[in-house]
Amino acid sequence: MNKYILSLLGTALGLNCLAQANISPAPAQDKKVIVMGARLHTGNGKVIENSYLIFEQGKITGLGDATVVRLDPSGSTLINASNKHIYPGFIAPVTNLGLVEISSVKATMDYSEIGELNPHIRALVAYNTDSKVPATIRSNGVLMAQITPQGGTISGSSSVVQLDAWNWEDAAIRTDDALHLNWPVTPKFRGQGSRAGVPSAAELSSRTQNTINQLDQLFAEAKAYAETEKPVVVNGRLAAMKHLFDGTQKLFITANAQKDIISAVKFAKKYNITPVLVEGDEAYLIIPFLKENNISVVVKEPHNLPVMNDDDVNMPYKNAGVLANAGINVSMSLHSYWQLRNLPFMAGTVAAWGLDKEKALQTITLNTAKVLGIDKTAGSLEIGKDATFFISDGDALDMKTNKVEKAFIQGRDINLDNLHKQLDKKFSDKYKAGKQ
């Protein structure tokens, strides 16, 4: 009984805290804006030391070196960003953001469904734009995310959203961009028989192979269904996989051991699909194979311990740099919504462990946009792309200096207030007043 009472109290306190923040989405841009004087990081490796950036109706219409042009600011809003930095909006792939609000309250978790093979599940329709979490991560420059289901062998389809919207329809940038598959894990220990209820390696291998056989059958049926012009019987699960085979939807496969990565890639190639590898702890051991098959890698957060006992203790820090320096397209993932505010600092860690600073920036901007299929409109600051960027008083990849002062999503000047800032002000004011 006490457990249930505590759970109810926790829910009530959580909802009470959430009710304190009331931040409405910004209105559409109605006036041309010129930002002058900032150090502009384009997101594609280039830096403009003293820049100008012009955007109208949500699109970038001009940018370049402010020292060689004369701009007419009449009829425009002029922002002086001297001695500050401009960055493209950071993008968080493979995350359950907006699908869970309070991790200790089951009723607020909507990122996983019952069953193992759920290609028909769409994370987008469960995305909660009223969540108070996105506002906290926007304050560190994360302005877009790939909302991703989790659990099972096939989790369902993700969608890419911008993080300032009234509802999921407004938020969507690219719907059902990818299907997510968790590759069956190959057993790593040996044994002749079961003991104390522990299955043998042979039994585990048999289970793994059975799962792969089920996947093979499902993909074969889905491919045949996709090639059928007018199916006699409508099958929602198979129809949800149709765009894997015409190239308009991507396949993200989570795998870590090198043997599993190779098996997963060969499985996808069998159906003429070039997958995106997620996590890939041992990807650095098979770089030639990944390059040969044109595989992009979404590495998991570098602030982790090594996976194997004999791994280099600093391998999680080095992993992204090793892959990127070898010519592989690398982006960075933080699966848990509560870690996303640290995404830029993860990229900063990668920069400190072997990757050029601007290339590290690309792991959370343009590289990610390419993987998600939104690089024509997002991921870098270029004429014609969305005006989704932010202004920081310091280096956005450095925890000590990151200070986002202004942010725009598709030209809209968004509110950077959030629950954390409100609570900080509340208790700072309390102690400034001398109250205990």
Side-chain angles (χ1 to χ4, degrees), residues 179-234:
L179 190 71
H180 292 259
L181 189 162
N182 297 305
W183 191 254
V185 178
T186 302
K188 290 189 176 182
F189 65 89
R190 297 178 179 178
Q192 296 302 315
S194 302
R195 61 180 187 276
V198 179
S200 67
E203 290 171 321
L204 289 174
S205 295
S206 177
R207 293 180 191 177
T208 298
Q209 189 57 51
N210 286 339
T211 302
I212 294 173
N213 291 342
Q214 290 174 10
L215 284 172
D216 203 17
Q217 181 178 350
L218 177 64
F219 271 70
E221 291 176 356
K223 190 172 188 297
Y225 187 90
E227 293 170 352
T228 303
E229 187 173 346
K230 292 183 179 180
V232 177
V233 179
V234 176

Side-chain angles (χ1 to χ4, degrees), residues 8 14 27 35 47 56 59 69 87 100 110 133 148 151 195 237 246-247 283 309 327 342 351 370 376 386 404 420 427:
L8 288 171
V35 186
V47 178
E56 299 178 70
K59 295 290 184 180
V69 298
Y87 293 91
V100 54
D110 201 10
V133 180
T148 306
R195 61 180 187 276
R237 292 170 75 235
D246 62 18
N309 291 335
N342 293 323
K370 288 178 179 178
K376 291 184 178 180
D386 289 348
V404 177
H420 293 178
F427 289 101

Side-chain angles (χ1 to χ4, degrees), residues 261-275:
I261 294 170
I262 293 171
S263 297
V265 170
K266 287 183 176 180
F267 174 86
K269 289 288 187 176
K270 176 180 176 181
Y271 294 98
N272 296 318
I273 299 170
T274 299

Side-chain angles (χ1 to χ4, degrees), residues 188 282 305-313:
K188 290 189 176 182
E282 296 184 357
L305 293 173
V307 176
M308 304 299 291
N309 291 335
D310 56 353
D311 281 349
D312 180 348
V313 69

Side-chain angles (χ1 to χ4, degrees), residues 36-58:
M36 295 289 295
R39 188 169 195 258
L40 189 148
H41 306 259
T42 61
N44 57 15
K46 299 177 182 178
V47 178
I48 304 173
E49 291 297 338
N50 185 355
S51 71
Y52 70 89
L53 176 65
I54 307 172
F55 58 101
E56 299 178 70
Q57 299 180 347

